Amino acid sequence: MSQPKLEITNLQAAVEDKTILKGINLTVRGGEIHAIMGPNGNGKSTLAGVLMGNPKYQVCSGTATLDEADLLALPVDERSKAGMFLAMQYPSEIGGVTNADFLRSAVNAHRGEGNEIGLFPFVKKLNQSVKKLEMREDLPHRYLNEGFSGGEKKRNEILQMMMLEPKMAILDEIDSGLDIDALRIVGTNVTQLVKDREQEMGVILITHYQRLLDYIQPDFVHVLIDGQIVKTGGPELAKRLEEDGYDWLKEELGLKSLTLEADTEETTRPANIGACGTRQKLGL
Ligand SMILES: Nc1ncnc2c1ncn2[C@@H]1O[C@H](COP(=O)(O)OP(=O)(O)OP(=O)(O)O)[C@@H](O)[C@H]1O
Ligand SMILES: [Mg+2]
């Protein structure tokens, strides 16, 4: 099987008429782990949401392809079927739908009509994955994320990933809420999925902390500030950020501020004609 490739070029996107992503360029191949770090509110989750098709974002320009699939032209379910996966920073609770039913429906939607997974192989795989993640055994049978603890929700996102076997997984702050043991367990399982599979999975790992990168070692570390990748390095870059924060980088790059609020004029004008979201709405 060929190695998957996610290619993002000059991606610009807005939310509520405010430009958040200002030209993202990134290529992720199967078997590679790319960590994305950066201060709060600078566009990391926006990038994840735009790639997955969250309707709250308006794409203004640029491209995003996964192999032959033009992601930005596809509805969310088709992006998922093409091999994209997002472990969300804030997973939703869905009452009335059990976790196991949700997973089986998702797996079957991927496999297509006439090729549904049998109940026995599904349950077997589910149980194996639950065991690997050392999750409580009742969790698959409860309503999706309802009443789950913060850490249980995060582990459940990884369970979904293990069941769906995506080509490209975006993990948005999967470490937040995890206790020390869970961090190791999740980290080991993600690494195994990336490295052990015949068709290697690529990973975009959004995190604030080096500690996750002890368990999921990145090939590349990118820093996203003000909607752009301003620096790329290896694991040593994450270590430097952990030790020294972002100030040295800010100085090195000559950035005025690390926050969008202070940096852009757009926030002072509610409908900035220059903002790509506004331009799109006006058909300019
Ligand atoms: N509906 C909205 N209206 C206005 N601004 C929004 C809206 N949704 C998101 N934003 C803004 O978009 C910016 C980027 O948010 P994003 O969630 O991508 O940040 P992030 O880098 O993931 O931050 P964190 O590290 O805190 O998770 C923030 O300033 C946020 O307030
Ligand atoms: Mg975020």
Side-chain angles (χ1 to χ4, degrees):
M1 249 187 266
S2 68
Q3 193 193 39
K5 183 166 108 177
L6 172 70
E7 203 159 20
I8 305 164
T9 56
N10 190 31
L11 186 59
Q12 299 194 28
V15 61
E16 299 282 334
D17 293 337
K18 182 171 144 188
T19 309
I20 307 291
L21 298 184
K22 300 178 179 175
I24 299 282
N25 293 291
L26 181 65
T27 301
V28 182
R29 292 186 170 79
E32 290 178 355
I33 297 173
H34 291 244
I36 297 188
M37 305 182 81
N40 293 133
N42 275 258
K44 300 180 300 298
S45 296
T46 303
L47 175 62
V50 167
L51 290 175
M52 211 59 222
N54 184 330
K56 96 174 196 184
Y57 304 108
Q58 303 104 46
V59 175
C60 307
S61 65
T63 61
T65 56
L66 177 62
D67 300 332
E68 278 77 48
D70 174 5
L71 293 177
L72 302 180
L74 297 176
V76 178
D77 62 322
E78 292 295 334
R79 296 186 198 201
S80 170
K81 284 179 205 162
M84 294 294 294
F85 176 83
L86 170 62
M88 287 189 261
Q89 184 172 3
Y90 303 108
S92 302
E93 298 189 1
I94 304 181
V97 178
T98 69
N99 207 0
D101 280 345
F102 170 79
L103 285 168
R104 194 157 168 233
S105 301
V107 168
N108 281 337
H110 275 215
R111 294 169 64 105
E113 249 178 64
N115 192 29
E116 286 88 353
I117 190 168
L119 185 59
F120 182 70
F122 171 77
V123 170
K124 192 173 162 196
K125 187 169 178 190
L126 182 63
N127 287 343
Q128 279 172 348
S129 305
V130 164
K131 213 170 181 173
K132 278 190 197 164
L133 289 169
E134 299 184 31
M135 289 173 78
R136 280 172 42 156
E137 282 174 14
D138 63 327
L139 290 179
H141 310 291
R142 281 170 46 185
Y143 291 150
L144 183 58
N145 286 325
E146 207 176 66
F148 285 24
S149 75
E152 284 170 347
K153 281 183 184 168
K154 291 302 172 98
R155 245 190 262 209
N156 203 47
E157 294 289 288
I158 299 300
L159 177 68
Q160 289 172 19
M161 184 182 83
M162 289 170 80
M163 295 303 289
L164 289 172
E165 299 187 350
K167 290 184 189 173
M168 203 54 62
I170 308 168
L171 310 182
D172 193 355
E173 293 201 28
I174 198 68
D175 45 340
S176 69
L178 291 183
D179 66 43
I180 294 158
D181 288 334
L183 196 65
R184 174 180 47 77
I185 293 160
V186 163
T188 312
N189 276 285
V190 171
T191 303
Q192 247 172 28
L193 264 189
V194 175
K195 304 293 178 196
D196 292 357
R197 277 183 52 205
E198 205 176 299
Q199 181 206 341
E200 294 175 322
M201 176 179 77
V203 173
I204 296 177
L205 192 65
I206 299 171
T207 185
H208 287 293
Y209 301 108
Q210 160 64 31
R211 63 185 180 204
L212 179 66
L213 307 182
D214 288 337
Y215 297 108
I216 311 178
Q217 275 151 20
D219 302 291
F220 302 94
V221 174
H222 309 278
V223 182
L224 198 158
I225 293 179
D226 195 10
Q228 289 183 314
I229 291 176
V230 296
K231 194 168 180 77
T232 293
E236 75 289 343
L237 178 57
K239 292 201 172 93
R240 172 97 201 260
L241 293 172
E242 175 100 338
E243 280 167 20
D244 299 338
Y246 289 98
D247 278 355
W248 63 275
L249 191 57
K250 181 175 122 182
E251 252 172 56
E252 188 179 297
L253 300 167
L255 292 175
K256 270 185 284 173
S257 158
L258 291 183
T259 64
L260 283 169
E261 299 299 330
D263 239 2
T264 61
E265 286 174 17
E266 279 151 39
T267 49
T268 59
R269 284 183 282 166
N272 185 345
I273 199 85
C276 70
T278 309
R279 286 205 306 274
Q280 198 193 40
K281 264 193 193 160
L282 295 172
L284 297 175

